[in-house]
Amino acid sequence: LRFLLLFGVFAITLILYFVKPKVEEVPSPIFVNVPTTSTTKPIFGIENFTEYIPGHLPLIITIPHGGHLFPPYIPDRVNNFPGVVKSNDINTQEIGKAVVELLGTKLKGRKPHVIINHLGRSKIDVNRPLKEGAEGNETEPSLTQLAWKDYHTFVAMAIKEVEEIFGRGLLIDIHGHGHPNNYIEIGYVLSSEVLSYPAKVINGDPSIPSESSIRALYARKSGTVSFDELLRGETTSLGGKLQSLGYDT
Ligand SMILES: *[C@@H]1O[C@H](CO)[C@@H](O)[C@H](O)[C@H]1NC(C)=O
Ligand SMILES: *[C@@H]1O[C@H](CO)[C@@H](O)[C@H](O)[C@H]1NC(C)=O
């Protein structure tokens, strides 16, 4: 993952997708020595605006904000309520593809599943609700509304495949950030306010883990680690592990 540093100001938002554990299931590692025989031929959505490259691993990489296509026949998004962002997360497609290739070489050809939105963010935002992310007129679905649905259909297909083969997996949603600090940000769908709370508060309120994207991981690990430790512990969190490898988070 050393190349991540080279790309400067980027962040990875992690959405950890785990199937509900069976009660009393002992957490066990997932073995990924799966055959590489299944197809990795890409599947395209309408107008090739979305692409799903099936993989072999219990890992799904989604790239919603790096689209390079800005066809003039697709109207720009016009809505401008607070929170609407229309600029791309630059180089996220390139980072995602580099991760896929790197994993392929390290894991003897085994690759993650990848879902890419190719339309620019001024045209579509597949990481927002349909109404905000894909505008249109009432009469018939717009091309961006169809592309938005393709993207989410592909994500659901990848999740189903991973669930069927492995029982659980990991989804990494790749994003960028707009500030100049060169560190890796890992997002678990928790607000900055929640993240400012001390460990006592974080561990004392069960609604905090249950609203985060690592809730299923926590459910499997809660016997051995507190939620605060899973979130930001020096040796027990992903951010802590990255830092111990020399990456700023
Ligand atoms: C979509 O991509 C495929 C494969 O590259 C190509 O054959 C096809 O013509 C493209 N379709 C459109 C609508 O661009
Ligand atoms: C909706 O209709 C208006 C008027 O015909 C048009 O200018 C606009 O581009 C349409 N929007 C979409 C998203 O198709």
Side-chain angles (χ1 to χ4, degrees):
L1 290 176
R2 192 153 295 274
F3 66 92
L4 273 174
L5 276 184
L6 301 176
F7 284 93
V9 290
F10 293 108
I12 295 178
T13 293
L14 294 184
I15 295 179
L16 302 173
Y17 180 88
F18 291 92
V19 178
K20 269 199 210 103
K22 286 186 203 92
V23 184
E24 288 168 33
E25 185 193 44
V26 180
S28 54
I30 298 180
F31 294 98
V32 297
N33 52 342
V34 285
T36 53
T37 45
S38 57
T39 177
T40 55
K41 206 169 164 280
I43 305 168
F44 290 93
I46 191 155
E47 302 269 325
N48 292 347
F49 290 156
T50 51
E51 181 178 3
Y52 170 31
I53 309 159
H56 318 96
L57 300 169
L59 173 64
I60 301 168
I61 292 180
T62 50
I63 313 173
H65 290 159
H68 296 300
L69 301 178
F70 298 88
Y73 60 92
I74 301 286
D76 286 340
R77 296 162 66 209
V78 291
N79 283 339
N80 260 326
F81 43 86
V84 171
V85 180
K86 295 179 183 173
S87 53
N88 273 9
D89 289 351
I90 55 169
N91 283 342
T92 47
Q93 262 197 50
E94 292 71 9
I95 290 173
K97 286 174 178 170
V99 168
V100 172
E101 289 314 309
L102 187 67
L103 285 171
T105 56
K106 293 209 181 270
L107 297 173
K108 303 197 172 93
R110 298 178 183 94
K111 291 189 174 179
H113 298 258
V114 190
I115 295 104
I116 305 169
N117 159 50
H118 286 290
L119 272 179
R121 202 174 179 184
S122 59
K123 306 290 184 184
I124 194 172
D125 193 336
V126 292
N127 216 39
R128 294 288 185 280
L130 177 66
K131 216 174 152 189
E132 177 188 334
E135 295 175 10
N137 295 310
E138 298 298 313
T139 44
E140 57 182 66
S142 65
L143 282 172
T144 54
Q145 286 169 339
L146 295 171
W148 189 100
K149 285 181 179 159
D150 286 341
Y151 182 88
H152 290 280
T153 300
F154 290 156
V155 174
M157 283 166 65
I159 289 173
K160 188 163 177 277
E161 172 96 7
V162 167
E163 268 185 1
E164 277 172 8
I165 296 174
F166 299 97
R168 63 178 192 267
L170 171 66
L171 190 155
I172 300 182
D173 195 36
I174 300 188
H175 289 271
H177 59 64
H179 59 69
N181 302 309
N182 185 14
Y183 43 63
I184 298 168
E185 294 183 352
I186 306 163
Y188 297 129
V189 205
L190 297 171
S191 68
S192 51
E193 192 198 329
V194 165
L195 294 173
S196 75
Y197 296 158
K200 239 189 195 146
V201 178
I202 292 211
N203 291 334
D205 181 352
S207 76
I208 294 176
S210 74
E211 280 164 20
S212 89
S213 59
I214 51 171
R215 57 188 175 271
L217 176 64
Y218 178 59
R220 289 192 292 113
K221 299 283 182 189
S222 56
T224 52
V225 73
S226 73
F227 189 65
D228 181 72
E229 287 170 325
L230 198 57
L231 201 57
R232 53 198 177 189
E234 215 168 290
T235 57
T236 46
S237 71
L238 181 58
K241 285 177 203 278
L242 284 171
Q243 284 198 342
S244 71
L245 292 170
Y247 301 101
D248 289 334
T249 63

